Amino acid sequence: MTVIVAAPIALAPATPGQPRFAVLPPLALYVHIPWCLKKCPYCDFNSHEIRGDPEPERYVAALLADLEFALPSIWGRKVVSVFIGGGTPSVFPAATIDALVAGIRARVPLLPDAEVTLEANPGTFERERFAGFRTAGVNRLSLGIQSFDDAQLIALGRVHDAGEAQRAAEAAMVIFGNVNLDLMYALPGQTVEAARTDLATALSFAPPHLSFYHLTLEPNTLFHRHPPALPDEDTVAAIDDAVDATLAAAGYVHYETSAHAKPGRECRHNLNYWQFGDYLGIGAGAHSKLSFPDGIRRELRHKQPRRYLERVAAGAPLQETTVVTRDDVGFEFMLNALRLNAGVPSSLFAERTGYPLAAIANELAEATARGLLEADPTTLKATPLGRRFLNDLQALFLRERTAGAA
Ligand SMILES: C[S@@+](CC[C@H](N)C(=O)[O-])C[C@H]1O[C@@H](n2cnc3c(N)ncnc32)[C@H](O)[C@@H]1O
Ligand code: SF4
């Protein structure tokens, strides 16, 4: 049966074990574009080298068909943000992104002030498209800088140099103003001084948002098979401290594990993930989490771009659908919420999961007793110790599946 949902919605009493929502969570839209000019040796995202592959118009037509397929699952709900990510969406021409944004607007109601982000690389041919992306209705640009150091960019296998990164950041600030710069740290051979220099260059553009990712060696990457020499733990801790202190002094709030923003300039799309909002993900390998009156569902679309295109044409883009059970939901909520340094109000748990907070009372008591979670009953927030051992804190909410458990 097709479930038609309008938000907000008040519901009849749920069957025991099922969630019960007073109001459905906010809904965001993620759009995956799985191509890049070149695959970076550290990257485990669902991204593939172009090699004359993508046929942008054909892929955008598939995305819009995919969105139409999904409409019954989000009927009547307004979309609060759109994130066009990848891969590198800026490898698509501005006219194709324009057709995509217009196609989305024609099919789903966006809030008038919806944040529409596009991920871009700083290469020259991409920079020349920025104005066209802005005209297409993209109102936030997320630029994958990684480093402003030429030697590092070579070590990371990037296709742009430091000069291009600087020119792209400058152009993004002029054209969008609403900009995020992605940088990575703990790079091969990086010193604290080198990380400080990268940070100072990033700050010289005064972007309202900065993401600092600790470079991780992901399985299935070239760096995992042939690891470069990375800085030791003490150096990484010193870089962490330097980044935090410099950004705090410059007026940025460290609001999530890897994200810093000027007050009020947090990424609304990502905040919705961390606050356990709903999201529809379209495109190759995209994930969705959608709430319905009688449950929460996760969906995964076919990952291989060619397979995805075939399956969309056949009217069946989904590879997998799973129901989030009462046993799973505590961990899934905390996995996200505890990344936020200010935590979330305790009341958000029932709002976003449909279950009372009492469903995770034992886990909360244990996390608090171990000094990993603040004792304040009005918020769910990691202590400084909990932030340091975030994986251990989140793991406390994992439950073994018991057959037949609801
Ligand atoms: C999906 S990528 C998109 C950005 C764009 N394609 C680019 O690379 O410029 C998002 C960000 O994830 C980060 N990232 C990718 N792989 C990473 C890794 N192994 N460790 C830490 N950060 C990583 C990079 O900072 C990158 O900008
Ligand atoms: S880091 Fe960005 S450009 Fe590099 S392979 Fe991953 S998604 Fe593509």
Side-chain angles (χ1 to χ4, degrees):
M1 189 185 77
T2 301
V3 181
I4 297 180
V5 184
I9 188 166
L11 301 165
T15 320
Q18 282 187 331
R20 186 198 159 119
F21 291 97
V23 174
L24 288 178
L27 175 69
L29 175 67
Y30 175 76
V31 183
H32 192 74
I33 297 187
W35 288 286
C36 300
L37 284 182
K38 181 170 168 279
K39 183 78 183 176
C40 302
Y42 54 84
C43 177
D44 187 32
F45 285 86
N46 182 24
S47 59
H48 309 264
E49 280 184 24
I50 296 178
R51 297 200 204 104
D53 218 359
E55 303 168 52
E57 294 75 22
R58 183 172 166 223
Y59 189 73
V60 164
L63 286 172
L64 296 176
D66 186 356
L67 180 57
E68 280 184 11
F69 162 85
L71 285 181
S73 302
I74 58 163
W75 210 247
R77 297 177 67 178
K78 291 220 163 47
V79 168
V80 298
S81 61
V82 179
F83 195 102
I84 306 170
T88 308
S90 58
V91 296
F92 276 13
T96 313
I97 297 296
D98 187 75
L100 172 64
V101 175
I104 292 170
R105 284 189 177 279
R107 287 165 180 80
V108 291
L110 301 194
L111 285 185
D113 65 341
E115 178 186 88
V116 182
T117 303
L118 180 119
E119 282 189 322
N121 270 23
T124 306
F125 102 106
E126 289 157 312
R127 176 165 45 92
E128 286 165 355
R129 297 175 169 177
F130 288 179
F133 295 145
R134 181 73 192 90
T135 310
V138 173
N139 55 29
R140 183 172 182 272
L141 199 76
S142 180
L143 256 186
I145 299 282
Q146 318 316 343
S147 172
F148 289 103
D149 178 320
D150 271 327
Q152 279 301 353
L153 291 170
I154 291 169
L156 293 171
R158 299 290 290 180
V159 290
H160 58 90
D161 62 22
E164 284 175 314
Q166 298 217 21
R167 287 190 289 278
E170 208 172 274
M173 285 304 293
V174 172
I175 294 167
F176 289 89
N178 197 7
V179 170
N180 166 57
L181 302 183
D182 275 347
L183 273 88
M184 297 194 297
Y185 69 99
L187 302 176
Q190 191 176 42
T191 61
V192 181
E193 228 19 73
R196 277 184 189 282
T197 306
D198 259 355
L199 181 56
T201 311
L203 282 176
S204 70
F205 301 104
H209 197 286
L210 276 165
S211 302
F212 274 87
Y213 297 108
H214 183 167
L215 174 68
T216 47
L217 299 184
E218 302 287 349
N220 304 319
T221 62
L222 195 71
F223 269 16
H224 198 260
R225 289 190 292 278
H226 306 285
L230 297 176
D232 60 31
E233 266 181 39
D234 288 347
T235 308
V236 174
I239 295 175
D240 263 328
D241 291 346
V243 167
D244 266 6
T246 310
L247 286 176
Y252 289 80
V253 181
H254 186 183
Y255 72 101
E256 186 269 344
T257 309
S258 309
H260 304 253
K262 287 283 173 74
R265 307 302 296 274
E266 297 85 358
C267 175
R268 286 191 237 156
H269 185 85
N270 287 343
L271 262 185
N272 189 53
Y273 292 140
W274 298 319
Q275 293 171 345
F276 212 57
D278 276 2
Y279 50 94
L280 170 67
I282 58 171
H287 294 259
S288 306
K289 180 225 143 200
L290 295 169
S291 305
F292 299 90
D294 58 351
I296 303 175
R297 195 166 83 198
R298 289 199 177 275
E299 295 173 350
L300 172 66
R301 278 155 168 78
H302 286 279
K303 195 171 171 190
Q304 265 301 322
R306 289 200 177 281
R307 175 93 179 129
Y308 169 75
L309 288 170
E310 282 165 19
R311 296 312 298 156
V312 172
L318 298 189
Q319 181 179 325
E320 202 178 289
T321 302
T322 46
V323 170
V324 179
T325 66
R326 187 186 168 107
D327 273 342
D328 297 332
V329 82
F331 173 67
E332 293 199 8
F333 179 91
M334 295 305 257
L335 189 67
N336 286 286
L338 292 175
R339 294 181 63 104
L340 291 169
N341 291 337
V344 295
S346 303
S347 56
L348 198 73
F349 183 84
E351 260 175 55
R352 297 291 158 86
T353 67
Y355 293 103
L357 191 60
I360 52 165
N362 292 344
E363 291 89 342
L364 291 174
E366 187 177 349
T368 311
R370 290 204 199 174
L372 299 170
L373 198 69
E374 296 287 358
D376 176 359
T378 66
T379 56
L380 298 170
K381 178 181 169 185
T383 58
L385 186 70
R387 284 214 291 278
R388 218 173 125 210
F389 297 101
L390 190 57
N391 291 345
D392 297 332
L393 169 56
Q394 289 160 333
L396 288 180
F397 294 86
L398 254 180
R399 283 186 190 171
E400 296 210 0
R401 277 172 186 274
T402 45

